[in-house]
Amino acid sequence: MIKVIRSTKTGERLQAVANLKSTTEVVSNRLLLVDEKRTYQSHAGFGGALTEATTAVLKQMSNEQKRAVLEAYFGKNGLNYNLARITINSSDFGYGNYDYLDGPDVALKSFTLKKEETRAIPAIKEVNAIRGEKIKLFASPWSPPAFMKTNKMMNEGGKLLREHYETWAKYFTLYLKAMKDYDLAVDFISVQNEPEAKQRWESCLWTAEEEALFIRDYLVPELKANKLDTKIFIWDHNRDEIVRRARITLNDPEVRKHVYGIAYHWYVSDAHHHLSIVHDMFPEKHLYFSEGCVEMANKVLVPLGEMGSWKHGETYGRNIINDFNNYNEAFIDWNLVLDESGGPNHVNNFCEAPVMYDTKNKEVVYNPSFYFIAHFAKYIKVGAKRLHTVHDIERKFYACSYLNPDKKMVIVIQNEDDKDVDLTLNIRGKTYLFLVKGRSINTLLEV
């Protein structure tokens, strides 16, 4: 039997709507076929970012509200997130630039994570307590301290001065060791968030060759010298250039040996097939989605009145399905929680989060995007194997399937058309008939 969980534009949210029984009836309708004998990548989990903005908004909630939000994301009965992205130094989602030094301290003697004691650290510990186990942490820098850069600013791009490659590598290891002092192990790091973007906020430019050089000659030796086993990701930018960057950065066998995976974002590009190209070139590398959001700063593309709209949820579902079908192993969303303006953000680069907090009315709002993520995260378990999934619907229809460690199948189907779709499901040699409602997302569970 197949249990159907559905959310719709008309208001259903994670509602159990049907139990499908197999049939021998042959109907002239559309087909979705799942072949459980053809398996692909293993699933590594879901997560979101504990930025300064997110932790600041959480602190404005009542204790009950905060606990409920963190339970909704990380609890075993919630989205069951097992991953969190955190920033090394500040990002735009916060109140301004900061690093972990007292001025231009080249010797790094003043390094301390004291500032994170009111930001990421307590939030991570609260999440770990909720889960009863430690989440995996993915840490990324937006910018080195200003004195290490060509432009002497954390904002507006600039480059890391070659004379500070070693300094910056040591800074990474000090960060990792200091986190361990708080009993928090960082599992993954990326060299740089969005290394080809000069932004108004914290940013730093790296070529593919520079990233490779830094990893091989500076970062890896420092990690080894300090007996740190944190895994390294490269790129951490958009899909459009992921093939070129991976090809160049990993051209050196020594660099390739030490890089665990390639992280990417969804902005600018819908070229999901680029992930499959990277997988084909570097099949041993792990592809993690590390950031994406509905951007609110461009009022023409996304008017503020559209915040929390159903189509924003569809953006999440479509990206997750298309990336999963192209070898993605993990999905890490951007800010977990933001305020009603889409911030705080110190350069007004606002965006929507799946959970928003109305600070004026003291109300927590769960946007459609939260429920779209839930259709995957609640049901696809770590270690699940992606299954071969095909259908004959030409537009606005997306599907992916996984086999969980308990050998039960999970299928997620998203219909972005206004029209319903009559569907025949072929699963494990059996046939099921299913009406996929217009503007819906559906999770089908083997029971």
Side-chain angles (χ1 to χ4, degrees):
M1 189 164 64
I2 304 293
K3 182 179 181 180
V4 180
I5 310 294
R6 185 171 69 200
S7 297
T8 61
K9 186 180 179 183
T10 54
E12 291 176 338
R13 295 292 183 268
L14 297 173
Q15 187 169 329
V17 294
N19 290 306
L20 307 179
K21 295 182 179 179
S22 62
T23 180
T24 57
E25 187 178 359
V26 177
V27 178
S28 178
N29 60 2
R30 293 302 177 187
L31 174 72
L32 188 145
L33 170 68
V34 179
D35 185 352
E36 76 278 4
K37 296 182 178 65
R38 296 173 65 180
T39 63
Y40 301 91
Q41 78 275 17
S42 295
H43 180 61
F46 281 86
L50 288 163
T51 60
E52 180 184 14
T54 288
T55 59
V57 174
L58 285 169
K59 283 189 284 190
Q60 294 180 63
M61 298 179 183
S62 69
N63 289 334
E64 292 78 13
Q65 287 174 321
K66 180 173 71 167
R67 176 83 183 189
V69 168
L70 293 178
E71 286 270 9
Y73 271 125
F74 295 95
K76 299 297 175 70
N77 295 319
L79 271 56
N80 202 22
Y81 276 9
N82 65 311
L83 299 161
R85 191 172 183 226
I86 51 178
T87 69
I88 300 174
N89 298 336
S90 59
S91 76
D92 54 316
F93 275 91
Y95 296 108
N97 297 157
Y98 70 84
D99 59 40
Y100 306 132
L101 301 174
D102 184 10
D105 176 11
V106 176
L108 309 180
K109 289 183 178 179
S110 61
F111 186 96
T112 175
L113 289 186
K114 192 77 176 174
K115 291 172 183 173
E116 295 298 343
E117 290 181 2
T118 56
R119 294 177 171 94
I121 288 170
I124 298 167
K125 292 196 170 190
E126 192 164 355
V127 166
N128 287 344
I130 286 170
R131 286 189 62 79
E133 62 187 18
K134 292 183 179 180
I135 54 172
K136 290 184 179 293
L137 298 174
F138 187 120
S140 305
W142 268 240
S143 174
F147 76 88
M148 297 186 192
K149 296 174 64 183
T150 55
N151 64 347
K152 304 303 178 187
M153 300 167 57
M154 291 185 74
N155 301 344
E156 301 288 350
K159 297 177 75 70
L160 181 68
L161 290 162
R162 186 62 59 91
E163 67 205 60
H164 285 306
Y165 272 40
E166 183 177 0
T167 318
W168 186 225
K170 289 181 182 297
Y171 193 101
F172 267 98
T173 58
L174 285 172
Y175 173 82
L176 297 173
K177 290 164 67 178
M179 286 291 281
K180 282 194 170 186
D181 290 341
Y182 290 96
D183 195 28
L184 298 173
V186 175
D187 301 270
F188 314 107
I189 52 172
S190 64
V191 173
Q192 171 66 44
N193 177 73
E194 299 186 348
E196 290 190 1
K198 177 185 176 182
Q199 305 284 23
R200 293 178 290 116
W201 53 88
E202 294 91 330
S203 47
C204 187
L205 301 171
W206 295 73
T207 66
E209 294 86 353
E210 288 166 344
E211 187 173 26
L213 174 69
F214 178 74
I215 291 168
R216 187 193 66 203
D217 293 352
Y218 298 91
L219 184 57
V220 168
E222 279 295 326
L223 293 176
K224 285 183 175 179
N226 288 276
K227 296 181 171 56
L228 294 165
D229 59 0
T230 302
K231 296 177 175 65
I232 300 169
F233 275 80
I234 61 167
W235 189 220
D236 210 359
H237 206 159
N238 300 333
R239 297 187 196 98
D240 55 345
E241 297 295 341
I242 191 172
V243 175
R244 174 181 58 83
R245 286 290 295 220
R247 180 171 58 84
I248 296 171
T249 305
L250 300 179
N251 181 59
D252 184 332
E254 192 64 22
V255 176
R256 180 171 179 172
K257 180 173 69 176
H258 292 293
V259 168
Y260 180 78
I262 302 149
Y264 66 93
H265 304 174
W266 78 23
Y267 312 113
V268 178
S269 172
D270 291 326
H272 306 278
H273 67 286
H274 284 184
L275 306 181
S276 284
I277 296 172
V278 171
H279 171 78
D280 289 344
M281 289 193 300
F282 307 104
E284 79 280 11
K285 299 306 174 200
H286 304 269
L287 288 163
Y288 279 28
F289 176 85
S290 56
E291 186 187 316
C293 68
V294 176
E295 298 172 277
M296 308 303 295
N298 188 328
K299 303 301 189 297
V300 176
L301 291 176
V302 186
L304 280 174
E306 291 186 358
M307 189 178 284
S309 70
W310 183 255
K311 71 178 183 179
H312 295 171
E314 289 174 331
T315 297
Y316 273 82
R318 185 187 330 119
N319 275 276
I320 293 170
I321 291 172
N322 287 334
D323 282 357
F324 280 2
N325 286 333
N326 285 279
Y327 294 97
N328 167 284
E329 295 180 21
F331 180 91
I332 306 175
D333 190 25
W334 191 207
N335 300 277
L336 289 165
V337 186
L338 293 172
D339 66 22
E340 68 275 12
S341 69
N345 185 290
H346 68 84
V347 291
N348 297 328
N349 182 36
F350 302 120
C351 78
E352 183 181 300
V355 178
M356 311 287 283
Y357 183 60
D358 185 335
T359 59
K360 297 181 179 66
N361 296 313
K362 306 299 182 185
E363 180 185 2
V364 177
V365 178
Y366 290 83
N367 283 326
S369 52
F370 177 88
Y371 296 98
F372 272 80
I373 298 169
H375 272 274
F376 304 88
K378 283 176 69 70
Y379 307 107
I380 301 171
K381 306 303 181 185
V382 172
K385 282 281 190 180
R386 178 169 67 90
L387 303 177
H388 188 71
T389 307
V390 292
H391 61 80
D392 67 345
I393 300 154
E394 293 185 11
R395 58 190 297 272
K396 295 188 175 182
F397 191 95
Y398 309 91
C400 66
S401 305
Y402 280 80
L403 191 67
N404 272 332
D406 65 1
K407 305 304 178 186
K408 298 290 188 181
M409 197 179 293
V410 180
I411 304 165
V412 184
I413 298 171
Q414 179 168 321
N415 180 14
E416 293 186 26
D417 204 315
D418 292 322
K419 297 179 181 178
D420 300 345
V421 175
D422 282 306
L423 195 65
T424 290
L425 303 171
N426 279 357
I427 304 167
R428 297 191 194 270
K430 294 182 178 180
T431 298
Y432 302 84
L433 300 179
F434 174 45
L435 180 69
V436 185
K437 299 292 288 184
R439 306 301 290 274
S440 72
I441 182 166
N442 309 263
T443 301
L444 282 59
L445 306 171
E446 269 191 319
V447 293

